[in-house]
């Protein structure tokens, strides 16, 4: 009769030690590692912003510069930059004049890890309307107009380009 009790006691003691070891490991980790990705990198909500030249509807966004990101831990600036570099269409970024224009473009990720531009369906659900696995745009982009920002906000030799 003592053997089952001894085995149960040994099991509980082992379980208690394992739990103590796990909490010590958790306590030694940096705070940003302990916070869950689900809270910090919310699919289709957490975003990175890029300033891009938007031209024809099926032309790629060009001259993109990383502007801001909600949480650097999510890595959306790097992943979004790679997505924009492979070719993201201007038509999904919003309406622009026929001659093109500069816009701030938000880039999101979804539950599947894809990166792209979000849209909202009629029922209110969000999805990526174009992402890094979609075909790239095929039209030629229009040349950008400088300056990118109103006078006094952006500086550099490109501001004097026609």
């Amino acid at each position: 009769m003592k053997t089952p009790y001894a085995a149960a006691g040994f099991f509980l003691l082992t379980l208690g030690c394992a739990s103590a070891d796990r909490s010590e490991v958790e306590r030694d980790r940096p705070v940003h590692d302990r916070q869950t990705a689900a809270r910090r990198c919310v699919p289709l909500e957490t975003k990175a912003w890029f300033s891009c030249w938007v031209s024809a509807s099926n032309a790629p966004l060009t001259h993109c510069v990383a502007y801001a990101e909600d949480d650097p831990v999510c890595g959306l600036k790097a992943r979004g930059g790679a997505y924009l570099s492979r070719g993201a269409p201007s038509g999904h970024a919003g309406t622009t004049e026929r001659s093109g224009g500069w816009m701030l473009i938000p880039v999101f990720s979804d539950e599947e890890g894809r990166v792209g531009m979000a849209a909202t369906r009629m029922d209110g659900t969000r999805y990526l309307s174009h992402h890094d696995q979609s075909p790239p745009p095929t039209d030629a982009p229009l040349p950008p107009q400088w300056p990118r920002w109103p006078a006094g906000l952006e500086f550099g030799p490109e501001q004097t380009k026609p």
Side-chain angles (χ1 to χ4, degrees):
M1 189 77 173
K2 287 184 180 181
T3 304
Y5 290 120
F10 179 76
F11 174 74
L12 292 174
L13 179 63
T14 304
L15 182 63
C17 290
S19 297
D21 291 341
R22 251 185 269 128
S23 64
E24 287 176 27
V25 170
E26 284 296 314
R27 189 178 64 238
D28 293 338
R29 281 191 187 152
V31 172
H32 63 84
D33 287 345
R34 282 188 275 151
Q35 294 176 343
T36 63
R39 284 191 342 180
R40 295 190 70 185
C41 303
V42 180
L44 298 168
E45 285 184 32
T46 305
K47 64 196 161 303
W49 289 94
F50 293 85
S51 173
C52 298
W53 175 253
V54 178
S55 53
S57 64
N58 195 32
L61 296 165
T62 61
H63 298 78
C64 294
V65 174
Y67 182 72
E69 64 184 315
D70 290 350
D71 195 333
V73 172
C74 302
L76 278 175
K77 188 186 288 186
R79 293 171 45 215
Y83 163 65
L84 294 170
S85 293
R86 73 168 274 288
S90 299
H92 292 280
T95 59
T96 61
E97 301 174 16
R98 290 192 186 273
S99 60
W102 294 104
M103 289 186 71
L104 285 176
I105 309 294
V107 174
F108 301 84
S109 68
D110 66 5
E111 299 84 11
E112 298 174 36
R114 299 177 302 189
V115 177
M117 295 181 212
T120 305
R121 292 187 176 98
M122 294 295 285
D123 65 1
T125 59
R126 296 198 27 101
Y127 69 102
L128 292 181
S129 59
H130 189 273
H131 51 78
D132 54 355
Q133 296 172 12
S134 300
T138 56
D139 289 350
L142 299 171
Q145 296 172 356
W146 301 96
R148 177 185 309 241
W149 301 100
L153 295 180
E154 186 174 19
F155 305 95
E158 71 277 4
Q159 301 306 310
T160 59
K161 291 182 181 178

